[in-house]
Amino acid sequence: MNVDVEGWESGHQVAYGCGAWERACHQARLLVAWHEECDRGFGAHVPRRFYADPGPRVKWPWGSARHITVGLVLWRAAYDAGVLVDQVPLSDAKGYCVQGADPLDTGPLPDAARKAGIGVGSAASVAGIRHVLQAHVETDPPRPRPTGVRLTLGYRVRELRATPDWELGDWPAALALARTAMGRADDLREQGTWHPTEQERSVGARIGRDWEPPPDTSAAFGRPASSWLERASRLAETAAALSVAADKLPSDGPGIAGPLARVLGATADACARLRADTEEIGRLWSAEPREPADPASWELSHVPGALLVQTEETEHLVRAVAVFSWVLACS
């Protein structure tokens, strides 16, 4: 099909703040990183992860780094369909890797790749990454996907970022760290080792109170936000507020955070893990020409089940911290 290349690239800049090729390579790194870790077994040491940015001056021949070849396939699939890179169904991208498919050098290539002096991949190198895409298409997600949801690149990457047990999706460890810090602070207070200051009690009272009011997200996204987006935005805002509060609390010494500061800092880190998905889905919601007739269905097709679980568990953590802080303020 004929693609308005300028408009296509502009759409990527609006949606992701970068060009189509850069977006394709970024997402490809995540796909390959997950596959690499899955091959070794989750938790195993991976000496050099493919999602690490090789730097602008490195020139890769196609096939020497799988994420470059995967990125080329994703870019080409998006270009041919005239859609954003994240909207490419992975099953369609996989079709470029089958035996007998037209070599990619018979069609358009990213200008950035040409200017960087990167060689054109052979049919064999492209076929060699088919198993990477296949693994993502056939994998069983932490939560079953809704019937009828097409597995697009963007959906899969959001699913990966919320998948426990691998490095980039290990949000349960972040929540556990915050709960451990909270238990430790409670023990220190009961033992009389930690005597909360008036400032710490004041911060605790404010945190216990501020969790209740619902946020107003309509201004941020141009229309009333979807249910998940509203909840996740609130958690992202909570991350910023807790970080500021933690920085202002007294320390136990140079570079040593006090008990409450450790609780708030760890909770902020857990909440901040939702920020990338919140911003990404917020832009997608805002880009809709009109409010979807069925926001719930729109949400199902954009928010993976694993991300819903992460959001729910993070909300439980924040509520627990709010109760802890309120009890601290009243003790």
Side-chain angles (χ1 to χ4, degrees):
M1 62 177 294
N2 294 325
V3 177
D4 173 9
V5 177
E6 185 174 338
W8 184 67
E9 285 288 351
S10 177
H12 284 83
Q13 289 290 345
V14 171
Y16 314 118
C18 64
W21 173 239
E22 184 179 349
R23 183 65 175 182
C25 288
H26 178 273
Q27 302 295 67
R29 287 188 187 101
L30 294 176
L31 296 186
V32 176
W34 179 87
H35 185 267
E36 176 75 7
E37 192 162 331
C38 186
D39 274 354
R40 283 183 162 85
F42 289 127
H45 175 64
V46 180
R48 191 190 188 290
R49 296 185 179 280
F50 286 102
Y51 58 75
D53 189 348
R57 297 186 179 181
V58 176
K59 297 179 180 180
W60 299 90
W62 297 121
S64 65
R66 286 188 294 175
H67 76 271
I68 296 293
T69 309
V70 173
L72 177 62
V73 171
L74 297 173
W75 183 93
R76 181 63 173 275
Y79 182 94
D80 287 350
V83 299
L84 299 181
V85 166
D86 281 28
Q87 295 174 335
V88 170
L90 289 182
S91 57
D92 292 356
K94 191 178 65 173
Y96 286 77
C97 308
V98 300
Q99 186 175 6
D102 292 337
L104 293 181
D105 60 0
T106 61
L109 291 171
D111 288 340
R114 293 182 188 277
K115 292 175 183 177
I118 301 174
V120 176
S122 65
S125 68
V126 174
I129 57 91
R130 185 175 187 271
H131 66 290
V132 175
L133 298 176
Q134 185 75 23
H136 288 280
V137 171
E138 295 183 348
T139 190
D140 292 325
R143 270 196 176 184
R145 301 181 188 111
T147 303
V149 170
R150 293 203 75 185
L151 183 62
T152 63
L153 172 62
Y155 188 98
R156 177 58 179 157
V157 166
R158 288 190 289 275
E159 192 171 67
L160 285 178
R161 285 197 297 243
T163 297
D165 300 329
W166 85 294
E167 185 179 357
L168 294 187
D170 199 13
W171 55 265
L175 268 63
L177 186 64
R179 291 187 180 277
T180 298
M182 188 162 45
R184 176 63 175 161
D186 210 25
D187 290 342
L188 292 174
R189 182 178 60 82
E190 290 183 353
Q191 295 166 5
T193 308
W194 170 44
H195 301 283
T197 65
E198 199 58 42
Q199 181 187 8
E200 288 172 320
R201 294 179 189 278
S202 176
V203 168
R206 190 174 71 250
I207 291 171
R209 181 179 63 248
D210 286 353
W211 178 245
E212 294 305 321
D216 180 7
T217 57
S218 57
F221 301 107
R223 59 170 66 96
S226 72
S227 173
W228 176 86
L229 188 55
E230 182 174 329
R231 294 161 57 199
S233 298
R234 187 176 184 184
L235 290 168
E237 292 166 2
T238 297
L242 292 181
S243 293
V244 171
D247 290 342
K248 293 180 178 178
L249 289 173
S251 64
D252 284 351
I256 303 176
L260 181 58
R262 285 196 290 271
V263 173
L264 301 188
T267 305
D269 289 342
C271 292
R273 285 175 171 262
L274 288 163
R275 182 172 291 123
D277 290 307
T278 303
E279 293 175 350
E280 184 175 292
I281 295 177
R283 287 193 297 267
L284 294 174
W285 177 263
S286 300
E288 292 289 341
R290 62 186 63 84
E291 182 176 348
D294 186 356
S297 294
W298 186 95
E299 184 171 297
L300 283 175
S301 65
H302 290 82
V303 183
L307 184 53
L308 288 173
V309 174
Q310 179 183 356
T311 306
E312 292 164 1
E313 294 297 325
T314 305
E315 287 174 334
H316 292 328
L317 170 66
V318 173
R319 290 192 183 99
V321 171
V323 172
F324 166 81
S325 302
W326 186 255
V327 170
L328 175 69
C330 298
S331 61

